[in-house]
Amino acid sequence: MGKKQKKPGKGKEKTERKTAKGEEKRARREARKVDEEDDIDAILRSIQKEEAKKKEVHVEENVPAPSPRSNCSLTINPLKETELILYGGEFYNGSKTFVYGDLYRYDVEKNEWKLVSSPNSPPPRSAHQTVAWKNNIYMFGGEFTSPNQERFHHYKDFWTLDLKTNQWEQILAKGCPSARSGHRMVLYKHKIVLFGGFYDTLREVRYYNDLHVFDLDHFKWEEIKPRPGCLWPSPRSGFQLAVYQDQIYLYGGYFKEVSSDKEKGTVHADMWSLDPRTWEWNKVKKAGMPPGPRAGFSMCVHKKRAVLFGGVVDMEVEGDVIMSMFMNELYGFQLDNHRWYPLELRKDKPAKNKTKEIKRKESTNDVEANIDNEGDEVMEDLEEANEGQPEVHGVSNQLNKSLSITKAGSSKSCDALSDSTAQGAPPEAVKPSGRINACLAVGKDMLYLYGGMMEVKDREITLDDLYSLNLSKLDEWKCIIPASESEWLEVSEDEDEDDDDEADDNENDNEGDASQTDEDEESDEDAAKNVSSAVSLLKGESKTMRRKEKRARIEQIRVILGLSDSQRTPVPGETLKDFYKRTNMYWQMAAYEHTQHTGKELRKDGFDLAETRYKELKPILDELAVLEAEQKAEEEASGSTSSKRDTKKGKQKSAGR
């Protein structure tokens, strides 16, 4: 066989293909180049080098409280129920994101923080999960975000912390779940049960509904796969799990569907139960008075009930405008009979002697006489919150009605006393502000709430306050640590560019107006008419904006207070006596859930709850009635003006024929 002859141009084509391939490789390398602040691998390597320098455990006593953060973990020490273990979390200041890997131990009785530093610690993370068993805390997963939020790294590592020695150790067990954050993890007997979560790197988004179990006796992972035809919850993150006897309950969650042109989020409000003996899921029918759909809420278990706090509800106000309502409601879910109910705080129970009984009746009769004075101060707080002009020097939501940012320089600021206190009026109740991604834990009948995030206008306020509530008494929230000043950096460059663009546009508009004036040669009278028309139009738009703001404010108040629930809301003109007569069964049931009283005592407990709610809402409802009346009057006036304008236009058309 002879040699094959080379076809003309073959070598040239090969060279061109190699050149094109090389250019593609260079382009890909350039695309992969990121800013140093967003190079997560380099950041984590640097952190690992610093960790390698640590040779022994170091505990700093009585240190300042942790900095503001959300998506951290707060765990009760199983060896000491008055000690809280806080780890990790994240903070966003409007410009950059900071992810933490610090470990704090807080002694509730001494009100002291300890900062623990130990060799071989996990890298910083947020949105991870922890559970406590015997003298250890177990942690899985989480995420690390680059400072500019351009890169994300999800963990699949599994760690244990020895609470006696403060030593971390990574558990290298086979078959562990894939990398994720936003999952949930609970302890059932000697097993850790993990479900769901998500994986999001901007380029790729995955939500999970897989179920994994870690056996603490044998240190083995096992994935529980669904049987054909069985019921199974859909993929989600940000849900909550609660364990009671031989059942694990799942509630809520969030799922995001990403397509090429849009993203669609779904907030779940369904409930499931998992039998850990057979690993079978079943849907749970919601009974009683469940909370509305919300995302970012927190939950923990106290005896026979699960306690839910907070979350956010997004509403469309006008067109594409979204208003976010950060909730501070408490709900209870009775785990033995599957009933939901709002957890209303109770007043101090009145004494049974005649003098105090008479005073209680007199105060009941005088509710309407005193309510107007209290209402003025309540609405002042509401107006300050809704105008969105807070001073970010600490956060304490003094009322259940609104978001209020106040100075909190000392623990006394948590008392949230109104100006009327000096005049003898009762002080407003202390309540945490509405928030998402907060930490919730229970130890010795005490509920602890720490940190989280909320929004004020365009600001994300990250919190570091600590509250407690006795779940056996349900009498009052106590502010243990007030919120500190939260840093927020405004980005000014874009605003300056926008201002420059607007200035250029204004100059161009002025030039255009001048040339148009020369060309049209309008008379002074015509110009005056045009100016008058423009002023009238602007006034009309101003009125419309005010009406929109009023509608938004009315809707905001209604959502925050749950005014759509007729069982918890007085109707216009309704007295306290009529309100309780109409809703007494609701309040008695709410009281029975946590007092177990019957007969006369139960009726008194129910009346106390109704009276508290009535006093809380009556001034707000009065203000809403005024706002709605003003809004209706303005809309009618606008409609009348519009009809007159249309009539005038019709007359002008007839005259021009």
Side-chain angles (χ1 to χ4, degrees):
M1 295 178 64
K3 292 183 179 179
K4 292 183 179 179
Q5 293 182 351
K6 292 183 179 179
K7 293 182 179 180
K10 193 77 173 178
K12 183 180 179 181
E13 291 176 2
K14 190 174 182 180
T15 302
E16 289 176 350
R17 284 199 302 271
K18 282 186 176 181
T19 303
K21 195 172 182 180
E23 289 176 353
E24 288 178 3
K25 284 184 177 180
R26 281 194 295 273
R28 285 198 297 269
R29 282 197 296 268
E30 289 295 325
R32 284 198 296 266
K33 286 183 179 179
V34 295
D35 187 76
E36 289 183 1
E37 289 189 342
D38 289 317
D39 191 343
I40 286 184
D41 293 335
I43 294 172
L44 294 178
R45 282 195 300 269
S46 175
I47 293 172
Q48 193 173 11
K49 286 181 181 179
E50 291 298 319
E51 286 294 323
K53 296 178 182 178
K54 297 178 181 178
K55 302 301 180 183
E56 59 183 13
V57 175
H58 180 65
V59 180
E60 292 185 56
E61 302 280 348
N62 202 15
V63 298
S67 57
R69 61 191 67 196
S70 63
N71 284 315
C72 50
S73 60
L74 186 70
T75 313
I76 296 291
N77 186 346
L79 305 176
K80 182 183 178 182
E81 285 193 300
T82 56
E83 185 179 46
L84 308 177
I85 313 297
L86 186 146
Y87 177 79
E90 63 184 358
F91 169 71
Y92 177 63
N93 67 358
S95 175
K96 296 187 183 301
T97 298
F98 302 88
V99 183
Y100 302 112
D102 41 9
L103 175 68
Y104 286 89
R105 302 181 69 151
Y106 176 67
D107 191 314
V108 176
E109 295 173 334
K110 296 180 181 179
N111 191 22
E112 289 182 359
W113 290 92
K114 295 178 182 178
L115 179 60
V116 180
S117 175
S118 59
N120 190 39
S121 297
R125 66 192 64 205
S126 63
H128 52 282
Q129 283 288 286
T130 59
V131 297
W133 188 62
K134 294 184 177 179
N135 62 315
N136 287 80
I137 288 179
Y138 294 86
M139 179 178 73
F140 179 84
E143 65 183 59
F144 183 89
T145 307
S146 66
N148 292 329
Q149 295 184 322
E150 294 293 332
R151 296 289 187 275
F152 299 90
H153 176 79
H154 293 263
Y155 295 104
K156 58 178 292 185
D157 49 356
F158 191 35
W159 294 81
T160 179
L161 171 69
D162 190 319
L163 293 172
K164 292 182 178 179
T165 64
N166 288 315
Q167 289 276 11
W168 285 99
E169 180 183 354
Q170 187 173 0
I171 301 174
L172 301 174
K174 294 182 179 180
C176 69
S178 59
R180 67 189 66 199
S181 57
H183 52 290
R184 292 296 180 264
M185 201 164 73
V186 291
L187 180 71
Y188 170 74
K189 295 184 177 179
H190 62 282
K191 295 179 180 179
I192 294 175
V193 180
L194 184 150
F195 181 83
F198 75 99
Y199 178 86
D200 187 349
T201 61
L202 295 182
R203 294 186 298 270
E204 180 184 8
V205 179
R206 293 197 299 266
Y207 280 78
Y208 300 110
N209 65 340
D210 48 352
L211 179 64
H212 297 264
V213 179
F214 183 77
D215 192 313
L216 290 164
D217 289 337
H218 301 95
F219 267 50
K220 288 184 179 180
W221 281 104
E222 179 187 5
E223 181 178 0
I224 309 298
K225 296 186 177 181
R227 301 185 186 92
C230 70
L231 294 174
W232 201 271
S234 59
R236 65 190 69 196
S237 69
F239 53 93
Q240 294 295 340
L241 295 177
V243 180
Y244 176 68
Q245 294 181 352
D246 290 320
Q247 292 291 321
I248 300 174
Y249 294 90
L250 180 152
Y251 177 70
Y254 178 80
F255 173 79
K256 182 171 68 175
E257 184 178 0
V258 180
S259 59
S260 57
D261 57 341
K262 63 178 180 179
E263 295 182 357
K264 181 182 179 182
T266 301
V267 177
H268 293 291
D270 53 347
M271 195 162 199
W272 296 77
S273 67
L274 173 67
D275 189 334
R277 296 164 297 184
T278 61
W279 303 117
E280 292 181 354
W281 288 98
N282 287 290
K283 281 191 173 182
V284 177
K285 184 179 179 181
K286 289 188 291 184
M289 290 157 281
R294 62 193 62 195
F297 58 89
S298 305
M299 183 185 282
C300 61
V301 175
H302 174 247
K303 296 180 179 178
K304 294 183 179 181
R305 67 182 169 196
V307 179
L308 180 149
F309 175 85
V312 64
V313 178
D314 290 334
M315 299 186 316
E316 282 193 15
V317 180
E318 289 286 339
D320 295 332
V321 178
I322 301 295
M323 178 181 290
S324 295
M325 304 296 173
F326 289 81
M327 318 302 286
N328 67 343
E329 301 172 309
L330 268 178
Y331 277 87
F333 176 71
Q334 206 65 27
L335 294 163
D336 52 356
N337 61 14
H338 296 177
R339 294 190 67 84
W340 283 99
Y341 53 93
L343 280 174
E344 306 282 353
L345 299 188
R346 300 197 299 272
K347 300 188 305 180
D348 292 336
K349 191 173 179 181
K352 294 185 178 180
N353 59 65
K354 292 183 179 180
T355 304
K356 292 190 176 181
E357 184 68 21
I358 292 172
K359 287 183 179 180
R360 188 181 70 82
K361 290 182 178 179
E362 289 176 352
S363 65
T364 301
N365 295 331
D366 293 340
V367 165
E368 295 180 356
N370 296 331
I371 210 157
D372 292 334
N373 294 331
E374 296 176 11
D376 294 338
E377 291 166 345
V378 171
M379 286 313 301
E380 285 176 7
D381 289 339
L382 262 177
E383 288 172 359
E384 290 177 4
N386 287 307
E387 285 171 4
Q389 297 176 345
E391 289 185 278
V392 189
H393 294 292
V395 184
S396 176
N397 191 7
Q398 303 170 4
L399 307 169
N400 189 27
K401 310 156 188 66
S402 66
L403 187 65
S404 176
I405 310 297
T406 60
K407 286 190 176 181
S410 66
S411 60
K412 291 182 180 179
S413 63
C414 295
D415 294 338
L417 300 179
S418 64
D419 295 337
S420 62
T421 305
Q423 302 173 4
E428 297 291 352
V430 175
K431 285 188 179 180
S433 60
R435 63 191 71 193
I436 61 172
N437 301 331
C439 291
L440 214 59
V442 173
K444 276 194 172 180
D445 292 336
M446 295 298 294
L447 175 71
Y448 297 98
L449 171 70
Y450 175 82
M453 190 275 289
M454 64 181 183
E455 293 178 1
V456 177
K457 278 195 168 182
D458 295 330
R459 293 186 175 191
E460 290 185 10
I461 307 298
T462 307
L463 304 167
D464 59 351
D465 48 355
L466 177 63
Y467 285 83
S468 68
L469 174 67
N470 190 317
L471 291 175
S472 295
K473 296 180 179 179
L474 277 177
D475 49 356
E476 61 176 347
W477 283 100
K478 292 183 179 179
C479 181
I480 301 174
I481 301 175
S484 63
E485 180 178 351
S486 183
E487 177 189 23
W488 185 261
L489 301 179
E490 296 288 350
V491 181
S492 58
E493 293 180 1
D494 294 339
E495 294 175 358
D496 292 339
E497 291 175 3
D498 292 340
D499 292 340
D500 293 340
D501 293 341
E502 289 179 5
D504 293 340
D505 292 341
N506 289 336
E507 289 178 3
N508 293 334
D509 291 342
N510 292 336
E511 292 175 1
D513 291 341
S515 61
Q516 187 174 0
T517 303
D518 294 338
E519 292 174 2
D520 294 344
E521 297 180 353
E522 292 181 342
S523 65
D524 293 340
E525 292 181 1
D526 292 337
K529 288 180 181 179
N530 291 337
V531 171
S532 177
S533 299
V535 171
S536 299
L537 181 62
L538 288 173
K539 284 184 177 180
E541 289 178 351
S542 176
K543 287 182 180 179
T544 303
M545 288 300 294
R546 285 200 294 271
R547 288 200 302 273
K548 287 181 180 179
E549 290 171 359
K550 285 181 180 178
R551 282 199 298 270
R553 183 180 169 200
I554 290 170
E555 191 61 30
Q556 181 185 28
I557 295 172
R558 287 191 179 282
V559 170
I560 291 176
L561 295 180
L563 299 186
S564 59
D565 187 352
S566 61
Q567 291 293 310
R568 302 175 64 222
T569 307
V571 299
E574 192 171 37
T575 64
L576 174 59
K577 180 180 178 181
D578 293 336
F579 173 56
Y580 181 67
K581 184 178 180 180
R582 177 173 61 85
T583 62
N584 66 86
M585 292 303 296
Y586 168 86
W587 297 110
Q588 289 181 35
M589 187 179 79
Y592 180 78
E593 295 290 355
H594 41 71
T595 65
Q596 309 300 314
H597 290 164
T598 58
K600 189 176 180 180
E601 286 187 335
L602 180 61
R603 289 194 293 273
K604 286 182 180 179
D605 292 339
F607 179 80
D608 288 341
L609 291 177
E611 183 183 19
T612 301
R613 178 72 172 173
Y614 185 90
K615 285 184 176 181
E616 186 179 55
L617 289 189
K618 187 62 167 62
I620 309 301
L621 293 172
D622 291 343
E623 176 69 11
L624 278 177
V626 173
L627 280 176
E628 289 172 338
E630 290 177 355
Q631 178 192 348
K632 185 177 180 181
E634 287 184 5
E635 288 176 349
E636 288 177 353
S638 175
S640 175
T641 304
S642 177
S643 62
K644 288 180 180 178
R645 192 182 299 119
D646 293 340
T647 303
K648 188 174 181 180
K649 284 183 179 179
K651 289 180 179 178
Q652 289 174 346
K653 286 182 180 179
S654 299
R657 284 182 184 168

